[in-house]
Structure formats: C-alpha cells, structure tokens
C-alpha cells in the first residue's frame, strides 16, 4: 500500500532546519540541554502542537535515522514502550505502539503509518521521517488502553558539520481522557529532551546491538 505522504510534507520538514517557521502564534515554551521547544495552542482541542530544535552530539545523522527507524531496538532503550511492532493489518501495513503511562492513568496506544526519505538537497544529505495516525486501520482496541486517534510527527536530521546531528521535530497528539496539566507540561519540558538524550545513548550502543543479532 502506498503511504499518503506528499513530497511537500518532506520538503517543509527539512526546511525548518534552515528557517524555523514560527509565525502564527508559536511561542518559546522552554529551552533546556541545548534544546528549544516551541508550542502552538490548538483551539479545537485545547492542546498544544510542538516544534523541537536541537543537536545530538557525537552521533551522525544517518545513524540517527537508522536508530529512529529500528522498532526492535527501540524496545531495548525506550523505557516507555510497552509494545511496538509493524505488521500487515488486513492489507494495510502499519505500526502498533503502546506507551506506558504513570499509575493510575491508562496506557495509550497508537496505530500509525510512517515513511522515511533520504534526501539530497544541493549536495546536503538530509533524512526526513514522517508519521501520522491511521485510525482506519483494522486493529482492535484493547480493554483498559486508550487509543490515540489524532497523532502526527515529522523529524528532519542533518549533520551539524562536525560529529553531531541537527534535529528538527514537529509533533501533535491528542491522548484523550483527563490528563493533568502538570503531566502534559512535564512531558514536554523534560520528556522530549530526555528522549533526545536517550536516543543519543542509543546511537552510541547501536553497533553492539546489531552485532548481537
């Protein structure tokens, strides 16, 4: 099945590495550990969409892309993953992802499509990965787990000119249910930089993981 991502979506993602598009109400939410996080209020849901700009040190961009795409490996280093796999759901290939939430809240799960493109932009090598929820996928919902039906993410990766990687990430999801504001803020302020730190460690350990396979 052909994924429904347009070339323009890939183009707009990598262009944010050069010129962040922050008009129209984006505000700087927090800056920590070299990571800037901006947010935009979504009037329809009352939630926020986020844009993240940062650098992963000592990790080249192609390796970052490989690590980001490797679902089996992610189960080894991302402690929030309960279940994660890609399969054919009645003729539609999609990814199932269950995320652990702190007690007493219910876990969330996602069914989504993703696509990666390795771009050559005037000699620059840029890796772009797009993902979005696929609610039409015939994947039964689990009892006690809330299905996230509105999720999107784009990631662009490029060398920082040295040993690191420039990262742009744009994401939105509507986790449903009643989630306290403090938890939403915590997830954005510490969860995202923490994820990038974990991913940096994951990149450094990837060759060992691959050698064991």
């Amino acid at each position: 099945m052909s994924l429904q991502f347009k070339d323009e979506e890939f183009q707009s993602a990598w262009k944010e590495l050069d010129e962040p598009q922050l008009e129209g109400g984006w505000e700087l939410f927090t800056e920590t550990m070299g990571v800037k996080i901006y947010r935009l209020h979504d009037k329809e849901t009352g939630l926020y969409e986020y844009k993240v700009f940062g650098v992963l040190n000592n990790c080249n961009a192609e390796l970052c892309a490989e690590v980001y795409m490797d679902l089996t490996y992610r189960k080894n280093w991302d402690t929030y993953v309960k279940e994660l796999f890609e399969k054919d759901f009645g003729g539609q290939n999609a990814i199932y992802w269950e995320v652990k939430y702190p007690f007493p809240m219910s876990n969330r799960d996602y069914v989504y499509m993703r696509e990666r493109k390795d771009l050559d932009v005037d000699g620059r090598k840029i890796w772009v990965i797009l993902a979005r929820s696929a609610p039409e996928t015939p994947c039964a919902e689990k009892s006690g787990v809330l299905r996230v039906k509105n999720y999107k993410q784009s990631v662009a990766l490029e060398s920082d000119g040295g040993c690191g990687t420039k990262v742009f990430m744009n994401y939105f999801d509507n986790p449903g249910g009643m989630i306290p504001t403090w938890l939403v803020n915590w997830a954005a302020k510490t969860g995202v930089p923490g994820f990038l730190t974990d991913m940096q460690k994951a990149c450094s350990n990837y060759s060992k993981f691959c050698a064991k396979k």
Side-chain angles (χ1 to χ4, degrees):
M1 177 181 168
S2 167
L3 297 186
Q4 302 302 306
F5 295 107
K6 299 176 183 175
D7 282 341
E8 302 86 72
E9 294 178 81
F10 289 94
Q11 297 294 323
S12 63
W14 77 256
K15 285 178 180 177
E16 297 255 10
L17 291 168
D18 291 349
E19 294 183 28
Q21 301 299 305
L22 300 170
E23 301 83 17
W26 288 92
E27 61 180 12
L28 180 63
F29 177 49
T30 186
E31 184 173 0
T32 178
M33 296 158 53
V35 177
K36 284 186 176 181
I37 303 175
Y38 294 83
R39 69 181 184 180
L40 177 68
H41 188 252
D42 182 74
K43 292 175 183 173
E44 187 178 329
T45 61
L47 301 169
Y48 286 94
E49 180 177 350
Y50 295 92
K51 287 186 177 182
V52 181
F53 301 87
V55 173
L56 290 177
N57 296 313
N58 302 313
C59 181
N60 74 62
E62 185 172 14
L63 176 61
C64 283
E66 294 293 336
V67 168
Y68 191 84
M69 292 292 288
D70 193 326
L71 301 181
T72 303
Y73 184 43
R74 184 158 178 173
K75 288 186 282 189
N76 281 260
W77 63 266
D78 187 343
T79 56
Y80 294 100
V81 171
K82 173 76 183 292
E83 202 171 350
L84 181 62
F85 57 84
E86 188 167 8
K87 68 173 279 189
D88 184 294
F89 294 93
Q92 178 167 311
N93 209 46
I95 294 168
Y96 176 82
W97 178 31
E98 183 180 342
V99 179
K100 298 174 188 173
Y101 266 56
F103 181 83
M105 287 181 288
S106 301
N107 286 355
R108 266 49 174 188
D109 67 5
Y110 300 72
V111 179
Y112 67 96
M113 304 183 302
R114 71 171 178 179
E115 187 176 0
R116 165 182 158 178
K117 279 194 177 181
D118 302 351
L119 306 176
D120 187 315
V121 182
D122 298 325
R124 295 164 59 188
K125 291 192 178 300
I126 302 175
W127 290 260
V128 178
I129 301 151
L130 303 180
R132 72 161 157 258
S133 50
E136 72 283 358
T137 303
C139 175
E141 297 188 24
K142 291 182 180 179
S143 174
V145 178
L146 289 179
R147 174 69 47 86
V148 176
K149 295 174 180 172
N150 188 359
Y151 161 73
K152 69 172 184 177
Q153 185 175 60
S154 58
V155 177
L157 306 162
E158 181 185 26
S159 170
D160 67 350
C163 300
T165 298
K166 286 172 64 179
V167 178
F168 162 71
M169 187 185 298
N170 176 208
Y171 71 95
F172 174 84
D173 71 15
N174 183 351
M178 298 298 293
I179 298 184
T181 304
W182 69 263
L183 181 59
V184 173
N185 288 339
W186 173 86
K189 285 190 174 181
T190 65
V192 174
F195 171 78
L196 293 177
T197 300
D198 289 345
M199 190 166 161
Q200 196 168 302
K201 290 178 190 170
C203 287
S204 66
N205 293 324
Y206 192 49
S207 58
K208 293 178 188 173
F209 172 79
C210 292
K212 289 179 183 176
K213 287 202 290 187

